[in-house]
């Protein structure tokens, strides 16, 4: 029983949180210097992250593998500590103050899950195209065609706006039409179709990016939850925390 | 530029006469507003405008802290010196007067940048409070540093959320593996570590003060170092 107690004690401990965060910062710091120096990272967005990672030599990705291990520990630790906190303080008077930090912890898990989904199933393809170009976008004979490209320039020659009209086609012909504008991608058929670059000369052309990011909705849900959690936390924490009362207002953790 | 130069003078002179810190803030705010009107957009692109905004935010956010600390000279001088240094950097940086590319004309971008710099300002105040605590051993400073970091952390996280939404709309993904994103993660984890460390009694107030100061060094590198020295989606 003692090894089990040791393991649960490890995952319930705030010390584990601190060490995990410290080691994660250390790994990311190492990565921050390795990443710009190694050309392997130039291709990081060319395939789903998990596939890219599996193909790269360990000598350049060791910090990412270590980070994944630490994040796994941190995930279990976050779950354990959040449950423990709710159980211990459930008789407290202020429910919102009790759950708002846990909401933020859940958001952290949402974001990790979003990254997991994106790294497993995300894809991104980039291709140059002009008016009339057609791409296959699925195995079921679905196509995407650039109908027309409009570019608007300011009097001093800068591109001030642009608009790309596209059509989705299947065997029966055009099934729907859509418009891509700056910060307004076409979000149809589970794809994000956007324009990475655009030019008017020598002829109107675009660098079209077709991507799929299955983690995006989880990340967005996490972002919305975070906003709710943090507003609640700040309002209630500021009310309850006395400025110089660290020793009286904070729990004594092992 | 005259208003910005005058604000620099006011910040420096505030080392002698305290109210000049707020005159500097008014001048700098006037400069930022005038830049916004002349450019016809939010003046938050490039180091010249962003660091002027950071400097003004630092002083604006410091007001409630100054009131609680009853205008302690060391805290006041720390603010004045930091704001002066930022203003000098802004003065010597090249202005970006070009119209915004279409992809930057969105509320997501504006919110992302504004929130990021407001959080940087709060992290700056936290670092000054940390220094103040180490010198004066004033317990108020430790509590105030925690508040500055907590609110700064929230704004910083919101900035990341807004940036993620914008990136998804503009580039098809909410996350890009570039040095800027990596340093942003380091910063977020670092302050997360600070907020959690405070829950453990083993971490003394002194250590937390040092951590708060170190955090601002990470902020400066994330903002200036990465943008100036490394190739990323946030290069100047």
């Amino acid at each position: 029983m003692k090894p089990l107690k040791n393991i649960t004690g490890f995952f319930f401990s705030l010390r584990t949180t601190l060490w995990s965060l410290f080691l994660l910062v250390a790994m990311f710091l190492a990565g921050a210097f390795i990443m710009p120096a190694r050309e392997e990272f130039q291709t990081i967005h060319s395939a789903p992250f998990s596939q890219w990672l599996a193909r790269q030599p360990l000598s350049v990705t060791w910090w990412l593998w270590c980070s994944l291990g630490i994040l796994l520990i941190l995930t279990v630790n976050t779950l354990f500590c959040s449950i423990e906190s709710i159980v211990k303080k459930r008789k407290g008077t202020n429910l919102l103050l009790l759950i708002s930090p846990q909401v933020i912890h859940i958001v952290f898990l949402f974001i990790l899950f979003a990254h997991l989904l994106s790294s497993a199933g995300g894809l991104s393809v980039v291709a140059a195209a002009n008016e009339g170009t057609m791409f296959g976008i699925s195995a079921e004979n679905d196509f995407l065609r650039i109908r027309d490209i409009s570019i608007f320039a300011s009097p001093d020659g800068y591109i001030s706006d642009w608009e790309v009209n596209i059509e989705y086609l299947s065997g029966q012909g055009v099934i729907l039409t859509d418009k891509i504008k700056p910060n307004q991608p076409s979000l149809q058929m589970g794809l994000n179709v956007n324009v990475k670059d655009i030019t008017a000369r020598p002829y109107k052309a675009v660098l079209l990016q077709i991507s799929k990011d299955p983690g995006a909705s989880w990340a967005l849900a996490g972002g919305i939850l975070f906003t709710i959690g943090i507003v609640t936390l700040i309002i209630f924490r500021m009310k309850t925390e006395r400025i110089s009362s660290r020793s009286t207002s904070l729990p004594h953790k092992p | 530029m005259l208003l910005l130069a005058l604000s620099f003078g006011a910040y420096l002179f505030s080392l002698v006469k305290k109210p000049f810190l707020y005159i500097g803030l008014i001048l700098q705010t006037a400069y930022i507003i005038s830049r916004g009107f002349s450019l016809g957009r939010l003046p938050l692109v490039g180091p010249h405008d962003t660091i002027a905004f950071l400097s003004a935010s630092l002083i604006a956010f410091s007001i409630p802290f100054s009131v609680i600390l009853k205008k302690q000279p060391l805290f006041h001088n720390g603010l004045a010196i930091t704001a002066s240094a930022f203003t000098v950097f802004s003065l010597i940086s090249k202005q970006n007067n070009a119209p915004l590319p279409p992809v930057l004309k969105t509320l997501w971008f504006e919110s992302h940048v504004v929130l990021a710099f407001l959080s940087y300002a709060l992290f700056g105040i936290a670092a000054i409070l940390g220094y103040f605590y180490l010198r004066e051993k004033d317990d108020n400073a430790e509590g105030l540093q925690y508040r500055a970091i907590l609110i700064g952390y929230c704004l910083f996280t919101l900035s990341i959320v807004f940036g993620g939404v914008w990136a998804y709309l503009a580039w098809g993904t909410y996350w890009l593996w570039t040095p800027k994103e990596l340093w942003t993660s380091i910063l977020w984890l670092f302050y997360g570590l600070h907020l959690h460390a405070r829950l453990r009694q083993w971490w003394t107030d002194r250590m937390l003060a040092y951590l708060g100061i170190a955090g601002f060094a990470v902020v400066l590198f994330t903002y200036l170092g990465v943008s100036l020295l490394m190739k990323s989606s946030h290069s100047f």
Side-chain angles (χ1 to χ4, degrees):
Chain A
M1 286 303 282
K2 202 181 172 195
L4 186 69
K5 203 176 169 186
N6 284 345
I7 291 170
T8 51
F10 172 78
F11 283 117
F12 273 117
S13 172
L14 183 64
R15 191 182 298 175
T16 305
T17 316
L18 295 177
W19 273 108
S20 301
L21 287 170
F22 173 75
L23 290 173
L24 209 49
V25 168
M27 289 303 117
F28 276 24
L29 268 175
F33 290 99
I34 294 169
M35 191 189 252
R38 299 295 300 239
E39 63 182 24
E40 286 88 343
F41 287 93
Q42 302 290 324
T43 59
I44 196 165
H45 299 115
S46 63
F49 180 71
S50 54
Q51 285 176 24
W52 176 89
L53 190 61
R55 282 202 301 261
Q56 304 308 316
L58 203 60
S59 58
V60 291
T61 55
W62 60 269
W63 60 278
L64 279 168
W65 287 107
C66 290
S67 301
L68 286 174
I70 298 165
L71 281 169
L72 191 66
I73 294 170
L74 204 53
T75 301
V76 180
N77 177 244
T78 305
L79 274 172
F80 276 41
C81 288
S82 295
I83 293 166
E84 186 197 29
S85 179
I86 290 174
V87 170
K88 272 188 178 170
K89 299 178 193 166
R90 68 185 184 280
K91 287 179 183 154
T93 50
N94 200 332
L95 182 70
L96 284 174
L97 184 59
L98 167 66
I99 62 164
S100 53
Q102 312 320 326
V103 170
I104 294 167
H105 287 156
I106 290 167
V107 168
F108 173 67
L109 300 180
F110 266 53
I111 302 294
L112 289 185
F113 187 61
H115 276 281
L116 191 71
L117 287 177
S118 299
S119 68
L123 66 87
S124 178
V125 183
V126 177
N130 50 21
E131 289 173 337
T133 305
M134 199 149 77
F135 303 96
I137 52 169
S138 76
E140 288 89 43
N141 264 352
D142 294 319
F143 293 91
L144 185 155
R145 183 167 60 200
I146 308 283
R147 202 170 67 189
D148 56 71
I149 301 169
S150 309
I151 301 173
F152 310 99
S154 62
D156 40 7
Y158 289 102
I159 292 177
S160 59
D161 204 0
W162 49 259
E163 193 178 291
V164 179
N165 285 303
I166 59 170
E167 293 170 333
Y168 291 88
L169 304 102
S170 71
Q172 295 86 37
V174 176
I175 48 174
L176 59 101
T177 59
D178 206 354
K179 193 175 282 183
I180 307 173
K181 296 178 81 172
N183 298 301
Q184 287 177 34
S186 171
L187 302 171
Q188 305 286 351
M189 303 167 83
L191 299 172
N192 179 323
V193 183
N194 64 82
V195 170
K196 265 180 95 83
D197 205 358
I198 194 160
T199 182
R201 292 190 186 86
Y203 51 84
K204 286 189 274 187
V206 291
L207 194 60
L208 204 69
Q209 178 174 265
I210 303 171
S211 46
K212 196 169 98 177
D213 200 338
S217 51
W218 282 90
L220 180 64
I224 294 166
L225 260 181
F226 175 84
T227 310
I228 296 166
I230 208 63
V231 170
T232 317
L233 179 71
I234 287 185
I235 291 170
F236 286 97
R237 182 57 68 88
M238 289 296 168
K239 274 185 186 171
T240 54
E241 169 119 355
R242 281 182 293 141
I243 290 169
S244 57
S245 60
R246 185 168 173 240
S247 57
T248 54
S249 67
L250 295 170
H252 290 256
K253 284 275 185 174
Chain B
M1 285 288 264
L2 180 66
L3 281 170
L4 193 63
L6 286 173
S7 71
F8 167 68
Y11 286 146
L12 266 191
F13 197 62
S14 76
L15 291 167
V16 185
K17 291 275 181 198
K18 283 183 185 175
F20 272 85
L21 191 70
Y22 305 109
I23 294 172
L25 172 64
I26 292 165
L27 290 167
Q28 207 155 41
T29 307
Y31 174 73
I32 293 166
I33 292 171
S34 69
R35 280 278 294 161
F37 275 114
S38 70
L39 293 170
R41 61 169 166 85
L42 204 65
L44 281 176
V45 179
H48 173 82
D49 291 318
T50 51
I51 211 152
F53 182 75
L54 174 59
S55 171
S57 307
L58 183 90
I59 302 303
F61 268 136
S62 74
I63 294 170
F65 295 92
S66 297
V67 171
I68 295 168
L69 287 173
K70 298 184 179 68
K71 295 182 180 171
Q72 290 278 353
L74 196 64
F75 177 64
H76 176 94
N77 291 349
L79 287 170
I81 292 166
T82 311
S84 307
F86 284 160
T87 309
V88 167
F89 193 87
S90 175
L91 279 164
I92 60 173
S93 301
K94 200 175 160 219
Q95 289 179 332
N96 182 337
N97 296 329
L100 280 185
V103 75
L104 299 186
K105 290 178 192 166
T106 166
L107 198 63
W108 294 112
F109 164 73
E110 291 169 349
S111 315
H112 168 63
V113 178
V114 168
L115 286 167
F117 282 98
L118 293 181
S119 68
Y120 290 173
L122 280 160
F123 292 147
I125 289 169
I128 296 168
L129 285 165
Y131 176 71
F132 175 71
Y133 174 80
L134 292 172
R135 289 285 300 272
E136 300 289 321
K137 301 282 178 295
D138 184 339
D139 280 343
N140 274 347
E142 194 281 326
L144 289 172
Q145 188 195 41
Y146 168 70
R147 287 182 174 208
I149 289 177
L150 179 65
I151 300 172
Y153 189 74
C154 298
L155 296 180
F156 187 60
T157 312
L158 281 176
S159 163
I160 296 173
V161 170
F162 282 50
V165 174
W166 174 45
Y168 183 74
L169 296 174
W171 298 300
T173 178
Y174 62 94
W175 184 262
L176 288 166
W177 282 99
T178 71
K180 183 72 175 190
E181 276 79 356
L182 204 55
W183 276 96
T184 299
S185 308
I186 291 168
L187 191 58
W188 191 79
L189 291 167
F190 188 92
Y191 280 108
L193 175 67
H194 186 287
L195 293 173
H196 283 87
R198 195 172 181 271
L199 295 171
R200 254 177 77 86
Q201 294 297 305
W202 182 80
W203 281 77
T204 61
D205 294 347
R206 197 175 168 78
M207 285 160 77
L208 290 170
Y210 278 120
L211 216 55
I213 296 168
F216 195 55
V218 183
V219 168
L220 289 179
F221 192 80
T222 304
Y223 163 43
L224 288 172
V226 178
S227 302
L228 292 171
L229 303 174
M230 296 177 180
K231 193 183 167 204
S232 84
S233 55
H234 292 69
S235 297
F236 289 145

